[in-house]
Amino acid sequence: MKIEARLLVGVALFFLVTGVGYWFWSYEQSGTVMLIGAVLLGLVPGSYYLWWSQRMTPRPEDRDDGTLAEGAGVIGAFPSSSIWPFVMGMGLFSCALATVFGTWLLAPGFAAVFAAAIGYTVESRRGGTI
Amino acid sequence: MTLLQHRPPAGASDHPEHAEHHDEPTFVVKWLTSTDHKVIGINYMITAMVMFYLSGFMALLMRVQLSSPSGIGMSLQTYNELFTMHGSLMLYLFAGPFAFGGLANYIVPMQVGAPDMAFPRLNAFSYWLYLTGSITMLLGFLTSTGAAAFGWVAYAPLSTSAYSPGPGADLWIISLFLTGFSAVFTGVNLVATIFYLRAPGMTMWRLPIFTWNMLVTALLILIAFPVLTAAMVFLWTDRHLGTHIYSVAGGGVPVLYQNLFWFFGHPEVYILALPYFGVATEIIPVFSRKPVFGYKGLVFATIAIAALSTGVWAHHMFTTGTVLLPFFSLLSLLIAVPTGVKFFNWIGTMWRGQISFKTPMLFCVGFLLAFLMGGLTGVMLASPPIDFATHDTYFVVAHFHQVLFGTTVFAGFAGLYFWYPKMFGRMLHDGLGKAHFWTMFVGFWLTYLPQYVLGLHGMPRRVATYPAGLGWASLNVASTVGAFIIGLSFLIMLVNLWVSWRNPVPAGDNPWDGHGLEWFASSPPVHHNFEKLPPIRSERPTWDYNHPDARTIAHGHGTADYELVGAGARGASGAGDGTTDA
């Protein structure tokens, strides 16, 4: 986990240096704000990973000598099929088209999105280990 | 080394009532409900290929119009729509989704030894957003006022409601919402998969380079796409809610749009390029019969390219006069350094290898040449004096077509030829593949080299007609002929797909003697990918398993025996020092 953490913190450090340099060279606002956003993108997950990677025992996939037997067991739940992503996609499609072809399309759109949200949740509860 | 270790398939939990049932749904139901990363990946690739052929057809129509100074009578509005949709389809709906939606979706979980992507249903949801976004964009052609016609960059104020009224432009904007979210979700999914679902022993320094590149690409997506979405939200509110974010009349700043757009737009170029660099880095070692040369150098070069690419957005805006020329010129020129490292490593991988020029390798060599030409003209354009002279001419058109065609098409189809046997369990015909390559290669140079000359002669881009008597016509004819040769080459590819579908030649699990874990699975892989995994002690576990007698260097293994045998082993020696990183 340490390399993952360093990668993300490295993203933050690079954009911090670039952002500071850019601001004091150009005093241009929009670019600086976007660079600050990129700093946060690396810093927020990266600092958490860094903090956590100091405390955890390295996972089998972090160690050069990790064996497959160490990774045995449940990795997670991977549902093999689900209709709800499709329903939610169609709902959002309908909502998006509503902005062009008329607000009435929001009705089926929201109906599908809510149905999919409920469907997702019920499916996850039934499926167990997510 | 030869002992296969069992790893129970995921989902085989203690609770039998949760055990999955494998009564696979068939065609339409499967397409609608599958959350298997392999099915979704193939869905992505098929959709992206449809977009590619549509967009290529639009390109041919434009080339026909440009083959004579006065054209064939196409209306200016039609021409504007064509170049807008050609660019939008290629960049937003083909090149990116083909790589991070299609190839990465299929290959990355297999290369890290995972049963699926981290969030399978989110993955399916991404695909539906991508498909509906694509349909939304194309719906513009069915409206009475036509599709969007403001170029794929949609600069304000041209894209505001005063200059681009009608639903076509709105559909274009909305479609970028949908596909943008699709890309962000896929990015999150890829990062989570690579961070959390690696098989034991698959450390970060043993990830195949393709997976590394996809990880960096995913981070770039997360940096860049939200900015595009923000730019589109502002554009939409300007068009419909009466805000004046981009309009001078209301106190807004039009150049803000360009800043936002290119803060997305330039990383986007590398979101398109890095995955295909990864494809080339997978293929070249396999067909050179060597491990990849300079593993860590390639990883750091990828990271450096990605980092620099987010600091160069305004080199597209040199001529606006509102940007800091030296800063952006410097960073743009710097990108040539890590890119040069990559070239060095690719050539170093081939150096003294036993190269076999199968179709995928041939496409990779074509990629190297094409991208080299596009990259070198890019270095020229990074210099503001040259950019001022050639901005918005065909020189720029030829430059970015060589870069993007070189990466997304040459390397992209190399990847298709390379992994097609894994995906479908059958080979593509090698002779037809080579015919595809050589026609495309000839067509590619014939199309774009004249455009460089046209640009230097001052022909502006995005014009449907041009004055006769300037000597531009013959060069344009050459370019049009080249474009049709490229079109022909893709008909050959369709024939190839048809042949492999009608007369399947079984591929076997590992037709190329491949390196990554994906070649350890069956072809096509079973549900949840792996019944068994080999021990993972280097970045090419399958090759190690298949060649137990070869002495290889355990990659990133601190106590490894560094005895080197043969030219092939020499390549990895510089990178085996990952002693402390775990």
mmCIF file of all heavy atoms in Angstrom, chain A residues 4 6 14-15 34 49 59-62 64 66-67 79-82 93 96 99 123-124, chain B residues 33 35 121 136 174 195-196 198 200-203 205-206 263 307 310 527 533 537 556 581-582:
data_model
loop_
_atom_site.group_PDB
_atom_site.id
_atom_site.type_symbol
_atom_site.label_atom_id
_atom_site.label_comp_id
_atom_site.label_asym_id
_atom_site.label_seq_id
_atom_site.Cartn_x
_atom_site.Cartn_y
_atom_site.Cartn_z
ATOM 1 N N GLU A 4 1.234 2.832 -3.553
ATOM 2 C CA GLU A 4 -0.001 3.496 -3.944
ATOM 3 C C GLU A 4 -0.101 4.864 -3.257
ATOM 4 O O GLU A 4 -0.444 5.871 -3.884
ATOM 5 C CB GLU A 4 -1.209 2.637 -3.552
ATOM 6 C CG GLU A 4 -1.364 1.354 -4.338
ATOM 7 C CD GLU A 4 -0.688 0.178 -3.659
ATOM 8 O OE1 GLU A 4 0.404 0.369 -3.077
ATOM 9 O OE2 GLU A 4 -1.230 -0.935 -3.719
ATOM 10 N N ARG A 6 2.356 6.682 -2.040
ATOM 11 C CA ARG A 6 3.359 7.625 -2.553
ATOM 12 C C ARG A 6 2.950 8.174 -3.908
ATOM 13 O O ARG A 6 3.208 9.335 -4.218
ATOM 14 C CB ARG A 6 4.704 6.919 -2.676
ATOM 15 C CG ARG A 6 5.403 6.793 -1.351
ATOM 16 C CD ARG A 6 6.670 6.008 -1.515
ATOM 17 N NE ARG A 6 6.993 5.365 -0.249
ATOM 18 C CZ ARG A 6 7.920 4.432 -0.115
ATOM 19 N NH1 ARG A 6 8.592 4.027 -1.172
ATOM 20 N NH2 ARG A 6 8.157 3.906 1.056
ATOM 21 N N PHE A 14 3.464 17.319 -6.821
ATOM 22 C CA PHE A 14 3.792 17.888 -8.130
ATOM 23 C C PHE A 14 2.906 19.083 -8.436
ATOM 24 O O PHE A 14 3.374 20.134 -8.863
ATOM 25 C CB PHE A 14 3.639 16.830 -9.224
ATOM 26 C CG PHE A 14 3.792 17.394 -10.603
ATOM 27 C CD1 PHE A 14 5.059 17.614 -11.122
ATOM 28 C CD2 PHE A 14 2.685 17.746 -11.366
ATOM 29 C CE1 PHE A 14 5.213 18.165 -12.393
ATOM 30 C CE2 PHE A 14 2.833 18.296 -12.627
ATOM 31 C CZ PHE A 14 4.103 18.504 -13.136
ATOM 32 N N PHE A 15 1.603 18.930 -8.200
ATOM 33 C CA PHE A 15 0.713 20.036 -8.545
ATOM 34 C C PHE A 15 0.856 21.195 -7.569
ATOM 35 O O PHE A 15 0.588 22.341 -7.930
ATOM 36 C CB PHE A 15 -0.732 19.551 -8.627
ATOM 37 C CG PHE A 15 -0.969 18.742 -9.857
ATOM 38 C CD1 PHE A 15 -1.221 17.394 -9.792
ATOM 39 C CD2 PHE A 15 -0.901 19.347 -11.103
ATOM 40 C CE1 PHE A 15 -1.405 16.657 -10.941
ATOM 41 C CE2 PHE A 15 -1.081 18.610 -12.248
ATOM 42 C CZ PHE A 15 -1.338 17.263 -12.172
ATOM 43 N N MET A 34 -7.639 25.288 -10.799
ATOM 44 C CA MET A 34 -7.677 23.905 -11.279
ATOM 45 C C MET A 34 -6.485 23.110 -10.741
ATOM 46 O O MET A 34 -6.618 21.934 -10.398
ATOM 47 C CB MET A 34 -7.707 23.887 -12.801
ATOM 48 C CG MET A 34 -9.032 24.397 -13.347
ATOM 49 S SD MET A 34 -9.194 24.275 -15.124
ATOM 50 C CE MET A 34 -8.259 25.673 -15.686
ATOM 51 N N TYR A 49 -4.145 7.020 2.638
ATOM 52 C CA TYR A 49 -3.382 5.799 2.348
ATOM 53 C C TYR A 49 -2.043 5.814 3.075
ATOM 54 O O TYR A 49 -1.593 4.805 3.595
ATOM 55 C CB TYR A 49 -3.131 5.672 0.844
ATOM 56 C CG TYR A 49 -4.278 5.111 0.053
ATOM 57 C CD1 TYR A 49 -4.389 5.356 -1.309
ATOM 58 C CD2 TYR A 49 -5.246 4.336 0.657
ATOM 59 C CE1 TYR A 49 -5.428 4.838 -2.050
ATOM 60 C CE2 TYR A 49 -6.300 3.816 -0.068
ATOM 61 C CZ TYR A 49 -6.390 4.062 -1.421
ATOM 62 O OH TYR A 49 -7.408 3.561 -2.149
ATOM 63 N N ARG A 59 -0.140 -6.302 2.871
ATOM 64 C CA ARG A 59 -1.019 -7.342 2.339
ATOM 65 C C ARG A 59 -0.177 -8.323 1.496
ATOM 66 O O ARG A 59 0.932 -7.970 1.068
ATOM 67 C CB ARG A 59 -2.087 -6.707 1.454
ATOM 68 C CG ARG A 59 -2.948 -5.684 2.178
ATOM 69 C CD ARG A 59 -3.800 -4.924 1.199
ATOM 70 N NE ARG A 59 -2.978 -4.169 0.244
ATOM 71 C CZ ARG A 59 -3.445 -3.564 -0.832
ATOM 72 N NH1 ARG A 59 -4.720 -3.626 -1.128
ATOM 73 N NH2 ARG A 59 -2.645 -2.898 -1.636
ATOM 74 N N PRO A 60 -0.704 -9.501 1.214
ATOM 75 C CA PRO A 60 0.069 -10.443 0.381
ATOM 76 C C PRO A 60 0.439 -9.829 -0.973
ATOM 77 O O PRO A 60 1.491 -10.142 -1.522
ATOM 78 C CB PRO A 60 -0.887 -11.619 0.202
ATOM 79 C CG PRO A 60 -1.824 -11.538 1.341
ATOM 80 C CD PRO A 60 -1.956 -10.087 1.692
ATOM 81 N N GLU A 61 -0.404 -8.941 -1.500
ATOM 82 C CA GLU A 61 -0.086 -8.347 -2.795
ATOM 83 C C GLU A 61 0.903 -7.189 -2.674
ATOM 84 O O GLU A 61 1.312 -6.615 -3.678
ATOM 85 C CB GLU A 61 -1.355 -7.893 -3.524
ATOM 86 C CG GLU A 61 -2.207 -6.898 -2.773
ATOM 87 C CD GLU A 61 -3.345 -7.572 -2.031
ATOM 88 O OE1 GLU A 61 -3.085 -8.620 -1.405
ATOM 89 O OE2 GLU A 61 -4.473 -7.054 -2.081
ATOM 90 N N ASP A 62 1.268 -6.819 -1.434
ATOM 91 C CA ASP A 62 2.293 -5.791 -1.252
ATOM 92 C C ASP A 62 3.670 -6.402 -1.068
ATOM 93 O O ASP A 62 4.673 -5.697 -1.096
ATOM 94 C CB ASP A 62 1.983 -4.936 -0.012
ATOM 95 C CG ASP A 62 0.717 -4.127 -0.195
ATOM 96 O OD1 ASP A 62 0.424 -3.768 -1.346
ATOM 97 O OD2 ASP A 62 0.037 -3.872 0.805
ATOM 98 N N ASP A 64 6.839 -9.035 -1.882
ATOM 99 C CA ASP A 64 7.447 -9.742 -2.997
ATOM 100 C C ASP A 64 7.284 -11.250 -2.881
ATOM 101 O O ASP A 64 7.281 -11.958 -3.872
ATOM 102 C CB ASP A 64 8.938 -9.402 -3.076
ATOM 103 C CG ASP A 64 9.163 -8.024 -3.637
ATOM 104 O OD1 ASP A 64 8.343 -7.605 -4.460
ATOM 105 O OD2 ASP A 64 10.143 -7.371 -3.238
ATOM 106 N N GLY A 66 4.719 -12.841 -1.400
ATOM 107 C CA GLY A 66 3.350 -13.251 -1.119
ATOM 108 C C GLY A 66 2.976 -14.484 -1.919
ATOM 109 O O GLY A 66 3.287 -14.598 -3.100
ATOM 110 N N THR A 67 2.331 -15.450 -1.257
ATOM 111 C CA THR A 67 1.905 -16.647 -1.980
ATOM 112 C C THR A 67 0.395 -16.635 -2.141
ATOM 113 O O THR A 67 -0.318 -15.971 -1.389
ATOM 114 C CB THR A 67 2.300 -17.922 -1.220
ATOM 115 O OG1 THR A 67 1.661 -17.891 0.059
ATOM 116 C CG2 THR A 67 3.798 -18.009 -1.044
ATOM 117 N N PRO A 79 -21.365 -9.635 -8.349
ATOM 118 C CA PRO A 79 -22.616 -10.079 -8.965
ATOM 119 C C PRO A 79 -22.399 -10.351 -10.450
ATOM 120 O O PRO A 79 -21.724 -9.599 -11.136
ATOM 121 C CB PRO A 79 -23.564 -8.902 -8.739
ATOM 122 C CG PRO A 79 -22.694 -7.743 -8.446
ATOM 123 C CD PRO A 79 -21.468 -8.288 -7.806
ATOM 124 N N SER A 80 -22.925 -11.475 -10.906
ATOM 125 C CA SER A 80 -22.657 -11.846 -12.293
ATOM 126 C C SER A 80 -23.608 -11.156 -13.249
ATOM 127 O O SER A 80 -23.295 -11.003 -14.418
ATOM 128 C CB SER A 80 -22.735 -13.346 -12.463
ATOM 129 O OG SER A 80 -24.047 -13.778 -12.145
ATOM 130 N N SER A 81 -24.770 -10.757 -12.777
ATOM 131 C CA SER A 81 -25.639 -10.000 -13.672
ATOM 132 C C SER A 81 -26.587 -9.155 -12.841
ATOM 133 O O SER A 81 -26.901 -9.489 -11.698
ATOM 134 C CB SER A 81 -26.426 -10.932 -14.591
ATOM 135 O OG SER A 81 -27.298 -11.711 -13.828
ATOM 136 N N SER A 82 -26.989 -8.039 -13.413
ATOM 137 C CA SER A 82 -27.914 -7.149 -12.728
ATOM 138 C C SER A 82 -28.554 -6.258 -13.766
ATOM 139 O O SER A 82 -27.882 -5.744 -14.660
ATOM 140 C CB SER A 82 -27.178 -6.308 -11.685
ATOM 141 O OG SER A 82 -28.023 -5.283 -11.226
ATOM 142 N N PHE A 93 -30.437 8.860 -18.965
ATOM 143 C CA PHE A 93 -30.570 9.220 -20.370
ATOM 144 C C PHE A 93 -31.835 10.055 -20.558
ATOM 145 O O PHE A 93 -31.825 11.123 -21.181
ATOM 146 C CB PHE A 93 -30.645 7.925 -21.180
ATOM 147 C CG PHE A 93 -30.690 8.103 -22.672
ATOM 148 C CD1 PHE A 93 -29.988 9.118 -23.302
ATOM 149 C CD2 PHE A 93 -31.425 7.217 -23.459
ATOM 150 C CE1 PHE A 93 -30.023 9.253 -24.685
ATOM 151 C CE2 PHE A 93 -31.452 7.345 -24.828
ATOM 152 C CZ PHE A 93 -30.760 8.366 -25.442
ATOM 153 N N ALA A 96 -31.429 13.439 -19.065
ATOM 154 C CA ALA A 96 -30.567 14.284 -19.888
ATOM 155 C C ALA A 96 -31.333 14.803 -21.096
ATOM 156 O O ALA A 96 -31.255 15.985 -21.437
ATOM 157 C CB ALA A 96 -29.336 13.484 -20.330
ATOM 158 N N THR A 99 -33.637 17.900 -20.800
ATOM 159 C CA THR A 99 -33.154 19.276 -20.905
ATOM 160 C C THR A 99 -33.241 19.788 -22.333
ATOM 161 O O THR A 99 -33.137 20.984 -22.565
ATOM 162 C CB THR A 99 -31.681 19.365 -20.452
ATOM 163 O OG1 THR A 99 -30.894 18.562 -21.333
ATOM 164 C CG2 THR A 99 -31.516 18.906 -19.031
ATOM 165 N N GLU A 123 -30.740 -5.610 -3.950
ATOM 166 C CA GLU A 123 -29.857 -6.632 -4.504
ATOM 167 C C GLU A 123 -28.605 -6.793 -3.644
ATOM 168 O O GLU A 123 -28.154 -7.895 -3.375
ATOM 169 C CB GLU A 123 -29.471 -6.214 -5.919
ATOM 170 C CG GLU A 123 -28.953 -7.312 -6.794
ATOM 171 C CD GLU A 123 -28.765 -6.804 -8.204
ATOM 172 O OE1 GLU A 123 -28.013 -5.825 -8.400
ATOM 173 O OE2 GLU A 123 -29.395 -7.347 -9.109
ATOM 174 N N SER A 124 -28.045 -5.676 -3.195
ATOM 175 C CA SER A 124 -26.842 -5.741 -2.375
ATOM 176 C C SER A 124 -27.123 -6.427 -1.052
ATOM 177 O O SER A 124 -26.322 -7.228 -0.571
ATOM 178 C CB SER A 124 -26.305 -4.338 -2.105
ATOM 179 O OG SER A 124 -25.970 -3.724 -3.314
ATOM 180 N N THR B 33 -27.863 -7.181 -18.987
ATOM 181 C CA THR B 33 -27.709 -7.372 -17.542
ATOM 182 C C THR B 33 -26.305 -7.755 -17.111
ATOM 183 O O THR B 33 -26.031 -7.730 -15.926
ATOM 184 C CB THR B 33 -28.647 -8.492 -17.045
ATOM 185 O OG1 THR B 33 -28.223 -9.726 -17.640
ATOM 186 C CG2 THR B 33 -30.079 -8.209 -17.411
ATOM 187 N N THR B 35 -22.701 -8.022 -15.730
ATOM 188 C CA THR B 35 -21.762 -7.142 -15.048
ATOM 189 C C THR B 35 -20.352 -7.722 -15.134
ATOM 190 O O THR B 35 -19.459 -7.290 -14.427
ATOM 191 C CB THR B 35 -22.143 -6.969 -13.571
ATOM 192 O OG1 THR B 35 -22.339 -8.266 -13.010
ATOM 193 C CG2 THR B 35 -23.404 -6.168 -13.418
ATOM 194 N N ARG B 121 -21.126 -3.545 -11.007
ATOM 195 C CA ARG B 121 -22.360 -2.891 -11.459
ATOM 196 C C ARG B 121 -22.098 -1.444 -11.846
ATOM 197 O O ARG B 121 -22.706 -0.931 -12.784
ATOM 198 C CB ARG B 121 -23.428 -2.992 -10.368
ATOM 199 C CG ARG B 121 -23.903 -4.426 -10.189
ATOM 200 C CD ARG B 121 -24.962 -4.535 -9.142
ATOM 201 N NE ARG B 121 -24.458 -4.108 -7.839
ATOM 202 C CZ ARG B 121 -25.169 -4.118 -6.737
ATOM 203 N NH1 ARG B 121 -26.423 -4.552 -6.769
ATOM 204 N NH2 ARG B 121 -24.653 -3.713 -5.612
ATOM 205 N N THR B 136 -26.988 10.190 -27.742
ATOM 206 C CA THR B 136 -27.396 11.584 -27.592
ATOM 207 C C THR B 136 -26.661 12.477 -28.585
ATOM 208 O O THR B 136 -27.266 13.330 -29.244
ATOM 209 C CB THR B 136 -27.101 12.060 -26.159
ATOM 210 O OG1 THR B 136 -27.665 11.135 -25.253
ATOM 211 C CG2 THR B 136 -27.669 13.426 -25.912
ATOM 212 N N ILE B 174 -24.992 17.849 -23.594
ATOM 213 C CA ILE B 174 -25.526 16.838 -22.679
ATOM 214 C C ILE B 174 -24.789 15.517 -22.843
ATOM 215 O O ILE B 174 -24.515 14.793 -21.882
ATOM 216 C CB ILE B 174 -27.039 16.639 -22.957
ATOM 217 C CG1 ILE B 174 -27.803 17.919 -22.655
ATOM 218 C CG2 ILE B 174 -27.597 15.507 -22.123
ATOM 219 C CD1 ILE B 174 -27.732 18.347 -21.241
ATOM 220 N N PHE B 195 -5.594 -1.124 -7.044
ATOM 221 C CA PHE B 195 -5.113 -0.983 -5.673
ATOM 222 C C PHE B 195 -5.540 -2.158 -4.780
ATOM 223 O O PHE B 195 -4.835 -2.522 -3.867
ATOM 224 C CB PHE B 195 -5.631 0.318 -5.047
ATOM 225 C CG PHE B 195 -4.855 1.551 -5.453
ATOM 226 C CD1 PHE B 195 -3.854 1.486 -6.402
ATOM 227 C CD2 PHE B 195 -5.129 2.780 -4.862
ATOM 228 C CE1 PHE B 195 -3.143 2.615 -6.775
ATOM 229 C CE2 PHE B 195 -4.412 3.919 -5.221
ATOM 230 C CZ PHE B 195 -3.431 3.839 -6.184
ATOM 231 N N TYR B 196 -6.711 -2.726 -5.027
ATOM 232 C CA TYR B 196 -7.271 -3.645 -4.049
ATOM 233 C C TYR B 196 -7.470 -5.065 -4.532
ATOM 234 O O TYR B 196 -7.724 -5.948 -3.724
ATOM 235 C CB TYR B 196 -8.620 -3.107 -3.553
ATOM 236 C CG TYR B 196 -8.462 -1.935 -2.638
ATOM 237 C CD1 TYR B 196 -8.731 -0.649 -3.057
ATOM 238 C CD2 TYR B 196 -8.002 -2.136 -1.344
ATOM 239 C CE1 TYR B 196 -8.547 0.427 -2.220
ATOM 240 C CE2 TYR B 196 -7.824 -1.061 -0.493
ATOM 241 C CZ TYR B 196 -8.100 0.214 -0.937
ATOM 242 O OH TYR B 196 -7.923 1.270 -0.101
ATOM 243 N N ARG B 198 -5.341 -6.984 -6.564
ATOM 244 C CA ARG B 198 -4.208 -7.694 -7.137
ATOM 245 C C ARG B 198 -4.057 -9.056 -6.444
ATOM 246 O O ARG B 198 -4.364 -9.199 -5.271
ATOM 247 C CB ARG B 198 -2.928 -6.874 -6.945
ATOM 248 C CG ARG B 198 -3.007 -5.489 -7.516
ATOM 249 C CD ARG B 198 -1.634 -4.876 -7.668
ATOM 250 N NE ARG B 198 -0.890 -4.847 -6.441
ATOM 251 C CZ ARG B 198 -0.993 -3.909 -5.513
ATOM 252 N NH1 ARG B 198 -1.824 -2.895 -5.680
ATOM 253 N NH2 ARG B 198 -0.261 -3.957 -4.430
ATOM 254 N N PRO B 200 -1.996 -12.131 -4.742
ATOM 255 C CA PRO B 200 -0.827 -12.108 -3.855
ATOM 256 C C PRO B 200 0.461 -12.230 -4.656
ATOM 257 O O PRO B 200 0.547 -13.038 -5.582
ATOM 258 C CB PRO B 200 -1.045 -13.330 -2.967
ATOM 259 C CG PRO B 200 -2.510 -13.539 -2.970
ATOM 260 C CD PRO B 200 -2.977 -13.130 -4.328
ATOM 261 N N GLY B 201 1.456 -11.447 -4.284
ATOM 262 C CA GLY B 201 2.722 -11.459 -5.014
ATOM 263 C C GLY B 201 2.760 -10.471 -6.159
ATOM 264 O O GLY B 201 3.836 -10.138 -6.653
ATOM 265 N N MET B 202 1.595 -9.996 -6.602
ATOM 266 C CA MET B 202 1.566 -9.021 -7.700
ATOM 267 C C MET B 202 1.758 -7.626 -7.105
ATOM 268 O O MET B 202 0.817 -6.875 -6.900
ATOM 269 C CB MET B 202 0.235 -9.135 -8.462
ATOM 270 C CG MET B 202 0.034 -8.164 -9.607
ATOM 271 S SD MET B 202 1.211 -8.316 -10.922
ATOM 272 C CE MET B 202 0.536 -9.660 -11.876
ATOM 273 N N THR B 203 3.018 -7.312 -6.759
ATOM 274 C CA THR B 203 3.286 -6.002 -6.172
ATOM 275 C C THR B 203 3.163 -4.921 -7.244
ATOM 276 O O THR B 203 3.072 -5.221 -8.431
ATOM 277 C CB THR B 203 4.697 -5.951 -5.587
ATOM 278 O OG1 THR B 203 5.615 -6.105 -6.663
ATOM 279 C CG2 THR B 203 4.918 -7.048 -4.577
ATOM 280 N N TRP B 205 5.392 -3.058 -8.347
ATOM 281 C CA TRP B 205 6.526 -3.096 -9.277
ATOM 282 C C TRP B 205 6.544 -4.359 -10.119
ATOM 283 O O TRP B 205 7.504 -4.625 -10.814
ATOM 284 C CB TRP B 205 7.847 -2.920 -8.531
ATOM 285 C CG TRP B 205 8.005 -1.555 -7.949
ATOM 286 C CD1 TRP B 205 8.278 -1.262 -6.657
ATOM 287 C CD2 TRP B 205 7.900 -0.300 -8.632
ATOM 288 N NE1 TRP B 205 8.330 0.092 -6.477
ATOM 289 C CE2 TRP B 205 8.109 0.706 -7.671
ATOM 290 C CE3 TRP B 205 7.631 0.078 -9.942
ATOM 291 C CZ2 TRP B 205 8.070 2.077 -7.987
ATOM 292 C CZ3 TRP B 205 7.592 1.416 -10.260
ATOM 293 C CH2 TRP B 205 7.812 2.400 -9.287
ATOM 294 N N ARG B 206 5.483 -5.159 -10.019
ATOM 295 C CA ARG B 206 5.366 -6.284 -10.943
ATOM 296 C C ARG B 206 4.161 -6.124 -11.849
ATOM 297 O O ARG B 206 3.851 -7.035 -12.617
ATOM 298 C CB ARG B 206 5.234 -7.584 -10.163
ATOM 299 C CG ARG B 206 6.531 -8.040 -9.531
ATOM 300 C CD ARG B 206 6.287 -9.280 -8.719
ATOM 301 N NE ARG B 206 7.483 -9.676 -7.992
ATOM 302 C CZ ARG B 206 7.449 -10.425 -6.917
ATOM 303 N NH1 ARG B 206 6.298 -10.843 -6.440
ATOM 304 N NH2 ARG B 206 8.562 -10.752 -6.299
ATOM 305 N N PHE B 263 -7.747 22.648 -20.015
ATOM 306 C CA PHE B 263 -7.263 21.951 -18.823
ATOM 307 C C PHE B 263 -7.748 20.513 -18.844
ATOM 308 O O PHE B 263 -7.083 19.611 -18.338
ATOM 309 C CB PHE B 263 -7.740 22.646 -17.541
ATOM 310 C CG PHE B 263 -7.022 22.160 -16.320
ATOM 311 C CD1 PHE B 263 -5.788 22.660 -15.993
ATOM 312 C CD2 PHE B 263 -7.572 21.173 -15.508
ATOM 313 C CE1 PHE B 263 -5.108 22.184 -14.880
ATOM 314 C CE2 PHE B 263 -6.896 20.704 -14.394
ATOM 315 C CZ PHE B 263 -5.658 21.212 -14.082
ATOM 316 N N ALA B 307 2.064 13.839 -15.560
ATOM 317 C CA ALA B 307 2.158 15.032 -14.714
ATOM 318 C C ALA B 307 2.378 16.268 -15.576
ATOM 319 O O ALA B 307 1.677 17.276 -15.426
ATOM 320 C CB ALA B 307 3.302 14.859 -13.716
ATOM 321 N N THR B 310 -0.610 17.856 -17.607
ATOM 322 C CA THR B 310 -1.619 18.719 -16.992
ATOM 323 C C THR B 310 -1.100 20.139 -16.801
ATOM 324 O O THR B 310 -1.858 21.003 -16.391
ATOM 325 C CB THR B 310 -2.046 18.172 -15.627
ATOM 326 O OG1 THR B 310 -0.870 17.747 -14.957
ATOM 327 C CG2 THR B 310 -2.987 17.028 -15.766
ATOM 328 N N HIS B 527 -15.945 -17.534 -16.585
ATOM 329 C CA HIS B 527 -16.543 -16.543 -15.698
ATOM 330 C C HIS B 527 -15.625 -16.360 -14.482
ATOM 331 O O HIS B 527 -15.145 -17.313 -13.909
ATOM 332 C CB HIS B 527 -17.911 -17.047 -15.267
ATOM 333 C CG HIS B 527 -18.741 -15.987 -14.644
ATOM 334 N ND1 HIS B 527 -19.307 -14.987 -15.390
ATOM 335 C CD2 HIS B 527 -19.078 -15.754 -13.366
ATOM 336 C CE1 HIS B 527 -19.972 -14.187 -14.578
ATOM 337 N NE2 HIS B 527 -19.848 -14.619 -13.349
ATOM 338 N N LEU B 533 -3.948 -19.905 -10.561
ATOM 339 C CA LEU B 533 -2.983 -18.870 -10.923
ATOM 340 C C LEU B 533 -1.581 -19.437 -10.747
ATOM 341 O O LEU B 533 -1.345 -20.269 -9.879
ATOM 342 C CB LEU B 533 -3.137 -17.647 -10.009
ATOM 343 C CG LEU B 533 -4.287 -16.699 -10.293
ATOM 344 C CD1 LEU B 533 -4.393 -15.677 -9.185
ATOM 345 C CD2 LEU B 533 -4.092 -16.012 -11.621
ATOM 346 N N ARG B 537 6.185 -13.989 -9.552
ATOM 347 C CA ARG B 537 7.498 -13.595 -9.055
ATOM 348 C C ARG B 537 8.190 -12.583 -9.964
ATOM 349 O O ARG B 537 9.337 -12.231 -9.737
ATOM 350 C CB ARG B 537 8.386 -14.838 -8.874
ATOM 351 C CG ARG B 537 7.978 -15.690 -7.693
ATOM 352 C CD ARG B 537 8.201 -14.941 -6.386
ATOM 353 N NE ARG B 537 7.664 -15.657 -5.227
ATOM 354 C CZ ARG B 537 6.460 -15.425 -4.709
ATOM 355 N NH1 ARG B 537 5.666 -14.504 -5.229
ATOM 356 N NH2 ARG B 537 6.046 -16.102 -3.660
ATOM 357 N N GLY B 556 11.738 -6.877 -8.661
ATOM 358 C CA GLY B 556 11.437 -6.210 -7.407
ATOM 359 C C GLY B 556 11.702 -7.092 -6.204
ATOM 360 O O GLY B 556 11.221 -6.849 -5.126
ATOM 361 N N ASP B 581 10.360 -1.298 -1.011
ATOM 362 C CA ASP B 581 8.956 -1.003 -1.291
ATOM 363 C C ASP B 581 8.126 -2.267 -1.185
ATOM 364 O O ASP B 581 8.396 -3.234 -1.872
ATOM 365 C CB ASP B 581 8.811 -0.435 -2.700
ATOM 366 C CG ASP B 581 9.571 0.863 -2.829
ATOM 367 O OD1 ASP B 581 9.681 1.565 -1.814
ATOM 368 O OD2 ASP B 581 10.065 1.132 -3.910
ATOM 369 N N ALA B 582 7.173 -2.248 -0.337
ATOM 370 C CA ALA B 582 6.306 -3.412 -0.254
ATOM 371 C C ALA B 582 4.906 -2.956 0.107
ATOM 372 O O ALA B 582 4.728 -1.879 0.637
ATOM 373 C CB ALA B 582 6.821 -4.379 0.803
#
